[in-house]
């Protein structure tokens, strides 16, 4: 992430990030109550045009939300879906035929020049363009044919928290709308999110394991993989601890060699097919004596060195990432505070990152 101007530190370190994390149940409820009808309407308009395939464009935290959408689109819709390389347009000037292709650009601010330029180019190339932002008055919203407001409200801490979960829910409801679903699986999320955030003391205890960590490895599979990437980003940008995120399958293709009994490994075990696919990886990690911490079902936590049990019984696998990230946001916050740093204003970063 490149920077524009440094942020100002708050009087009480972490006060802003803590407050915005606490808002997430209300934000999720707002999307379900107020945003869902508009999201469904947009989805119906786009579904009627029957796009051939889907391309997703994003940076940073929103890139992890886009990766989540990629899983939704490929698994639930059965449509080919890819993540774009914006520099092919902005740096190389490549021209593509995007007739009848749906291009979804995800951005909290909607202000990054490369996102705006690539979306504008996609529309000129024949694409159906959809912006998903927290700013309906942004340049990105202006150049896109359709826009979804994630309704998260102003976010002032540099680490994105409530905008990330808001993007996930908005994207889930949109994909549900494309296939004619009602998104009913998401109705349990506000209450469960509140239950998780109310257990912050558990996370604070867990943070003690990482105060002096020099490196972390975070892994998952399936719908949990975007959570692993987002958790790593949050830890790196707040606590400055190098956090390496891997698909469980990729971890076995070489990086497993760096795992020992000193560097902690966090595994996000989704309750469903993704968690099942991760089981061979967990066995290998246990076999190497890894300090394995699990975020997932109680039965998986019981088999690890430590962890945080998620209330996911009966919750559809495709919406579990909205819950999985919450204890990991809290973990990044608590580790940063324990290391004497301010998570509201990480060094060298700005809220709107102007890449080109």
């Amino acid at each position: 992430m490149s920077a524009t101007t440094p942020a100002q530190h708050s009087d009480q370190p972490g006060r802003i990030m803590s407050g915005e994390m606490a808002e997430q149940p209300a934000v999720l409820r707002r999307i379900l109550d107020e945003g869902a009808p508009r999201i469904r309407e947009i989805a119906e308009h786009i579904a009627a045009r029957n796009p051939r395939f889907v391309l997703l464009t994003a940076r940073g935290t929103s890139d992890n939300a886009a990766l989540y959408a990629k899983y939704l689109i490929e698994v639930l819709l059965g449509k080919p879906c890819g993540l774009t390389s914006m520099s092919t347009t902005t740096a190389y000037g490549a021209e593509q035929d995007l007739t009848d292709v749906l291009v979804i650009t995800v951005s909290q601010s909607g202000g990054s020049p490369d996102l705006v330029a690539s979306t504008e180019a996609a529309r000129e190339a024949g694409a159906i363009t959809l912006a998903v932002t927290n700013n309906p008055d942004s340049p990105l919203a202006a150049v896109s044919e359709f826009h979804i407001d994630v309704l998260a409200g102003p976010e002032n801490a540099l680490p994105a928290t409530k905008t990330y979960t808001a993007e996930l829910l908005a994207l889930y409801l949109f994909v549900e709308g494309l296939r004619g679903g009602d998104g009913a699986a998401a109705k349990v999320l506000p209450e469960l999110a509140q239950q998780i955030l109310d257990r912050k003391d558990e996370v604070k205890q867990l943070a003690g394991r990482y105060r002096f960590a020099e490196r972390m490895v975070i892994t998952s599979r399936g719908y949990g993989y975007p959570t692993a990437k987002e958790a790593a980003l949050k830890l790196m940008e707040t606590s400055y601890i190098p956090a390496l995120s891997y698909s469980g399958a990729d971890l076995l293709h070489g990086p497993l060699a760096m795992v020992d009994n000193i560097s902690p490994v966090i595994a996000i075990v989704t309750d469903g097919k993704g968690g099942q696919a991760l089981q061979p990886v967990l066995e290998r990690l246990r076999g190497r004596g890894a300090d394995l911490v699990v975020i997932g079902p109680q039965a998986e936590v019981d088999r690890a060195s430590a962890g945080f049990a998620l209330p996911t019984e009966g919750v559809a696998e495709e919406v579990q990432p909205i819950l999985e990230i919450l204890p990991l946001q809290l973990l990044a916050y608590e580790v940063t505070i324990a290391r004497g740093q301010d998570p509201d204003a990480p060094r060298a970063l700005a809220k709107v990152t102007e890449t080109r």
Side-chain angles (χ1 to χ4, degrees):
M1 180 181 289
S2 63
T4 52
T5 57
Q8 298 298 314
H9 288 257
S10 59
D11 295 335
Q12 179 184 342
R15 176 184 58 83
I16 302 172
M17 181 180 178
S18 178
E20 290 173 350
M21 287 190 292
E23 291 179 38
Q24 289 176 104
V27 171
L28 297 175
R29 195 170 290 110
R30 186 184 309 137
I31 295 168
L32 291 169
D33 293 345
E34 302 174 21
R38 176 59 178 160
I39 294 172
R40 189 178 306 113
E41 179 185 347
I42 291 171
E44 288 172 354
H45 280 297
I46 292 176
R49 292 165 67 172
N50 193 27
R52 291 184 290 141
F53 57 88
V54 183
L55 292 174
L56 291 150
T57 303
R59 296 281 192 204
T61 283
S62 293
D63 199 33
N64 299 326
L67 180 59
Y68 166 73
K70 184 176 188 292
Y71 277 91
L72 290 173
I73 291 163
E74 292 180 346
V75 175
L76 300 183
L77 300 182
K79 283 189 178 288
C81 184
L83 300 174
T84 64
S85 301
M86 279 174 279
S87 62
T88 59
T89 299
T90 60
Y92 291 92
E95 297 181 2
Q96 304 172 62
D97 179 5
L98 299 178
T99 306
D100 298 327
V101 173
L102 172 59
V103 173
I104 304 173
T105 306
V106 188
S107 170
Q108 293 142 29
S109 69
S112 188
D114 55 353
L115 293 169
V116 175
S118 62
T119 300
E120 200 166 24
R123 190 170 182 180
E124 291 172 357
I128 306 163
T129 53
L130 167 66
V132 178
T133 82
N134 194 39
N135 184 2
D137 298 320
S138 63
L140 178 60
V143 301
S144 300
E145 184 177 357
F146 298 97
H147 176 257
I148 290 175
D149 184 353
V150 302
L151 301 175
E155 187 173 62
N156 296 310
L158 279 178
T161 54
K162 64 178 182 175
T163 52
Y164 178 69
T165 49
E167 286 173 351
L168 296 190
L169 180 53
L171 288 163
Y172 167 73
L173 293 173
F174 172 69
V175 174
E176 274 288 279
L178 288 178
R179 67 174 187 158
D182 60 5
K187 295 187 183 300
V188 299
L189 294 175
E191 181 180 349
L192 293 179
Q194 188 63 63
Q195 291 178 22
I196 291 170
L197 292 170
D198 286 345
R199 294 162 57 197
K200 57 186 177 183
D201 286 346
E202 291 180 44
V203 179
K204 190 171 185 177
Q205 286 187 322
L206 195 60
R209 305 174 72 90
Y210 304 117
R211 182 176 180 182
F212 301 108
E214 296 183 359
R215 181 187 69 201
M216 292 189 200
V217 174
I218 308 177
T219 188
S220 190
R221 288 205 69 180
Y223 285 112
Y225 179 43
T227 307
K229 291 177 68 65
E230 174 60 12
L233 176 59
K234 283 292 152 287
L235 283 160
M236 287 190 288
E237 69 182 352
T238 56
S239 69
Y240 318 143
I241 297 172
L244 309 174
S245 59
Y246 294 99
S247 157
D250 287 332
L251 185 63
L252 296 184
H253 282 269
L256 183 67
M258 71 177 172
V259 174
D260 53 28
N261 61 356
I262 298 175
S263 298
V265 178
I266 299 175
I268 296 114
V269 185
T270 303
D271 191 358
K273 293 180 179 178
Q276 294 166 15
L278 191 63
Q279 289 304 314
V281 182
L282 299 177
E283 290 299 328
R284 293 286 297 277
L285 289 168
R286 282 189 283 263
R288 291 190 59 80
D291 177 12
L292 178 62
V293 172
V294 164
I295 308 297
Q298 184 67 61
E300 295 294 342
V301 173
D302 290 343
R303 300 177 63 200
S305 304
F308 186 98
L310 292 173
T312 52
E313 184 176 355
V315 178
E317 182 178 2
E318 56 266 27
V319 299
Q320 289 180 35
I322 299 170
L323 302 176
E324 290 168 348
I325 191 58
L326 300 177
L328 292 160
Q329 291 174 346
L330 290 169
L331 182 65
Y333 169 86
E334 293 292 354
V335 169
T336 305
I337 294 294
R339 289 164 71 97
Q341 295 151 199
D342 184 2
D344 285 343
R347 63 194 181 202
L349 299 182
K351 190 62 180 173
V352 180
T353 305
E354 296 189 355
T355 48
R356 296 183 182 274

